[in-house]
Amino acid sequence: MAYPSMCYSLVVRQLTMDKDEKTRLERLVAIEERISNNQYPNMRALCQAFNVKPRTIYADIRLLRERFGIDIRFDRFRNGYYNANPGKRIPIGDLVENDYLLMIAGCAILGASFGNRMKSALQGVLSNLGKRLSFGVPDELNGIVVKSKMDQSDLDPDVMVQLGRALLQRRAIELQVQGGSSHMCAPCALIEQGNSWYLLGYNLNNAAVEKHDLAKIDRCDIQDNVAEIDRKALVEKYLVDHNV
């Protein structure tokens, strides 16, 4: 039996009461993503992916079916599970409609500001959001923000994801930039100047804040060490010193 939509957030909260249940919720979301994105995972693949036994996966699939209403079926020809109703997905946390609308607007603005590669990646984000919303996301929303000038920056989505992860985890990063140079730093902030975007990073070798053109970063590798820095103070000092 599928629970009504107003019960979804309650189910999610119940599943996150302790560490073991939080781990299960993360696994449920990951399983549902693979099944709904036409990867057709089978029992063996799911057990290997999450290092659990078949009975655990069977219980997870039963929960996805009964509590979240996901129409999971097994395709014998493809030898894997699939979502027979792709419009039915696990809801994302406790976000309400206004939260989604703000996220949609933010993605549209970033897509217009960060270049064609980021625009394409963010359109994919909007598409994924649309699959989980009861009210839908029309395709024309992708074009609601138009810049008056051509973008000077064309940012790499993979680099942006790694930068975001490093910022959230307070990790140091090693940047590989065009020309072959390498920089070990702690990311501080993103700054826009002259219609281009830059990363302000605290260089761990010479203890100085440097500015790197985001469009010229070829690779960003997260390091194991935690970067213990005062980002706010470093950015404020940089802005004052450079009259930004």
Side-chain angles (χ1 to χ4, degrees), residues 12 25 28-29 32 64 68 70 88-92 132:
V12 171
L25 176 61
L28 285 170
V29 172
E32 189 266 338
L64 289 169
F68 293 102
I70 311 299
K88 188 71 171 179
R89 303 287 303 272
I90 292 180
I92 307 173
R132 299 189 179 227

Side-chain angles (χ1 to χ4, degrees), residues 99-125:
D99 297 327
Y100 286 124
L101 293 173
L102 286 174
M103 292 174 66
I104 291 167
C107 283
I109 293 170
L110 290 175
S113 301
F114 281 3
N116 292 329
R117 285 187 292 176
M118 279 294 292
K119 182 176 181 179
S120 177
L122 289 168
Q123 286 175 345
V125 172

Side-chain angles (χ1 to χ4, degrees), residues 1 11 35 66-67 70 88 94 96 98 102-103 143 147 151 163 174 185 188 190 196 199 202 205 215 221 229 236 242:
M1 178 182 70
V11 173
I35 290 174
E66 295 178 356
R67 293 201 177 181
I70 311 299
K88 188 71 171 179
D94 292 330
V96 296
N98 286 354
L102 286 174
M103 292 174 66
K147 293 200 68 178
D151 294 296
L163 284 175
E174 181 178 6
C185 66
C188 296
L190 303 181
S196 293
L199 166 70
Y202 180 74
N205 294 322
D221 294 322
I229 60 172
E236 289 179 348
H242 293 81

